[in-house]
Amino acid sequence: MPSSPTAAVVVLAAGSGSRVGAEVNKVLLPLQGLPLLAWSVRTALDVPDVDPVVVVCRPGERADVGAALLSVIGEREVLLVEGGATRQASEQAALNVLASRVADGSVDVVAIHDGARPLASAALFATTIATARTYGGAVPTLDLPALLPRDPAATPAPGGPGTRLVGVQTPQAFRAAPLLAAYADAAAAGFDGTDTAAAFAAFAPAEHEVRAVPTGPANLKVTFAEDLRVAGRLLAQA
């Protein structure tokens, strides 16, 4: 057991390439000399006190994903696990792999990241992990511009006065033991959330607060072909 607990980073790569117009999983597409997925994994490995990194792949793609990561792994430990039919099932597969390390206290925080977000910085990972250690959970958020002017005399905004619309990104980080317990309760209840924060907020004890971590639009998710081109331009500029 290490002298102090580490954070585990889970990188989800069990999606597809349908909306990006590819015949292969989009995370295997080339981006500035590396497979798209390799950018997120390389960044996660650069974050201080992260061990291990877990990559969740689609069934049948273990060999392709492993080959895509060879150039960035080096001597570090990266665990490869096959995911499920839904995002939550894929996350659960990763948590199952980490359960023994959480139980013995060697992993105290789990951060879950979309492999299709190649531009998330090591600083963003570190901030969400640190925030989760302090409060229980952390999610990167981005203020969304108003799409339509709103009449103040009209129906109040959801959440009451002062409510802002925000977009939620990844990596999302949470204290490990409460996260595993929340997912066990979610499974028992038949709950299937849209992201990790949904299950944690619904089933974790109330004292574990999920805090927002400000981020920017550069942390884009590659969904369509144009997103891949934009990501390439941003990486070239960096």
Side-chain angles (χ1 to χ4, degrees), residues 23 42 96 142 150 162 235:
E23 296 181 356
R42 185 171 72 174
N96 291 344
L142 172 69
R150 182 175 173 274
L235 285 170

Side-chain angles (χ1 to χ4, degrees), residues 19-230:
R19 285 187 289 178
V20 83
E23 296 181 356
V24 299
N25 189 336
K26 64 185 175 184
V27 299
L28 300 176
L29 294 173
L31 176 64
Q32 290 293 307
L34 288 174
L36 172 61
L37 174 64
W39 289 95
S40 297
V41 173
R42 185 171 72 174
T43 300
L45 291 170
D46 284 343
V47 181
D49 301 320
V50 163
D51 182 42
V53 172
V54 182
V55 176
V56 185
C57 65
R58 289 199 307 187
E61 291 188 347
R62 182 186 293 266
D64 291 337
V65 170
L69 298 177
L70 279 178
S71 64
V72 299
I73 290 175
E75 300 299 318
R76 294 291 301 277
E77 180 182 25
V78 174
L79 307 177
L80 194 55
V81 59
E82 292 187 350
T86 67
R87 181 189 182 93
Q88 189 155 315
S90 292
E91 293 177 356
Q92 185 65 66
L95 295 179
N96 291 344
V97 169
L98 295 170
S100 62
R101 303 186 194 214
V102 175
D104 69 18
S106 57
V107 166
D108 68 336
V109 170
V110 176
I112 298 184
H113 184 58
D114 291 321
R117 289 189 186 273
L119 282 81
S121 67
L124 180 60
F125 274 94
T127 299
T128 56
I129 288 168
T131 303
R133 277 201 174 104
T134 301
Y135 298 102
V139 296
T141 62
L142 172 69
D143 282 352
L144 297 178
L147 299 179
L148 292 171
R150 182 175 173 274
D151 181 356
T155 304
T163 297
R164 295 178 298 133
L165 292 178
V166 296
V168 176
Q169 301 178 355
T170 66
Q172 300 181 2
F174 306 89
R175 288 178 185 159
L179 179 62
L180 265 65
Y183 266 59
D185 290 344
F191 179 90
D192 193 2
T194 55
D195 64 2
T196 324
F200 190 86
F203 293 96
E207 67 267 20
H208 296 285
E209 182 182 354
V210 179
R211 286 291 184 102
V213 174
T215 184
N219 185 22
L220 60 84
K221 184 175 182 180
V222 173
T223 303
F224 303 103
E226 178 59 25
D227 299 329
L228 193 64
R229 291 189 286 269
V230 171

